[in-house]
Amino acid sequence: MKITVKHQLLVDALHLLHDHNERIARSRIDHDPADPRALLRAVLEEFLPVDAQRATALRVFAAYYARSLTDPALAAVFLAAEQPLERLVADLIEAAQAAGHTAPGLDAWREADLLVSGAVGLGGDVLHGRRTLADVRRTLDYHLDKIFAGTRHARRGPPANGQAGAVSGWRAPENTRALPPGKHRGIGYTQ
């Protein structure tokens, strides 16, 4: 496929849109760094149309994604080999596992794959009116409850000790504490 100036502008615009959405997402993710479940929930929430900006971003990325199915240059933006968003989610699950705060026997990478693809797909269902945002949140919470089964994070109420979400002994991985720009790309919907 010959890359025209117009086509290159489309590819460049997709990269810029991704970078812009990633910056916005990072600024919105407000969580207790000692609460792995809340951090995962906040990351996944970025793929739901909870406000006008995210709904618009999801629609634009859906249009780009549809075109990428027949356009290799656009597909390359979506199909980066390193899968940074899945890696971020897997790192968070692995850190919680190491601290003993997840259900036993989880495969962090498979869980990350399900969570990311599930959140993206369910977000699209909300845009179509097939599901409500409340229903999608319950579905994500259901899966997060399974991951954190056996810990106080499986309950969405306040922990018994009164600390808002703190998990004794758990710390977010160093490379995800403040979700620095560029470390775990992907929150902006593309690679």
Side-chain angles (χ1 to χ4, degrees):
M1 168 182 233
K2 181 180 174 188
I3 303 288
T4 63
V5 171
K6 180 180 174 185
H7 185 263
Q8 188 58 49
L9 285 172
L10 278 175
V11 173
D12 292 345
L14 179 57
H15 283 289
L16 289 172
L17 187 59
H18 162 69
D19 291 342
H20 175 73
N21 280 308
E22 183 177 357
R23 280 190 304 280
I24 291 171
R26 288 177 187 284
S27 71
R28 268 194 298 246
I29 295 176
D30 183 25
H31 67 283
D32 178 350
D35 187 346
R37 187 187 187 288
L39 178 54
L40 280 174
R41 178 89 159 44
V43 168
L44 297 172
E45 188 90 359
E46 288 302 313
F47 294 93
L48 302 179
V50 300
D51 56 30
Q53 186 276 328
R54 283 177 265 203
T56 299
L58 285 169
R59 285 184 185 100
V60 171
F61 281 113
Y64 266 109
Y65 186 79
R67 183 163 177 172
S68 78
L69 296 174
T70 59
D71 183 330
L74 288 174
V77 178
F78 284 99
L79 301 175
E82 65 271 4
Q83 295 179 301
L85 183 59
E86 289 85 347
R87 174 59 18 216
L88 167 64
V89 172
D91 286 351
L92 293 169
I93 293 170
E94 286 169 354
Q97 280 178 308
H101 298 296
T102 64
L106 293 177
D107 180 325
W109 185 256
R110 301 280 182 223
E111 296 297 338
D113 238 358
L114 284 170
L115 285 170
V116 171
S117 61
V120 169
L122 291 168
D125 282 355
V126 173
L127 287 175
H128 276 289
R130 184 170 179 241
R131 298 178 198 276
T132 66
L133 188 56
D135 185 46
V136 166
R137 285 177 167 152
R138 281 190 297 273
T139 299
L140 291 175
D141 284 335
Y142 172 82
H143 194 72
L144 289 171
D145 287 349
K146 288 174 63 177
I147 291 170
F148 291 97
T151 71
R152 66 176 148 238
H153 286 282
R155 297 187 314 259
R156 282 182 287 289
N161 64 6
Q163 293 180 346
V167 178
S168 174
W170 187 86
R171 289 174 54 93
E174 281 296 324
N175 60 357
T176 61
R177 292 241 173 90
L179 296 174
K183 185 62 180 177
H184 286 290
R185 295 186 53 92
I187 292 176
Y189 310 101
T190 64
Q191 310 302 326

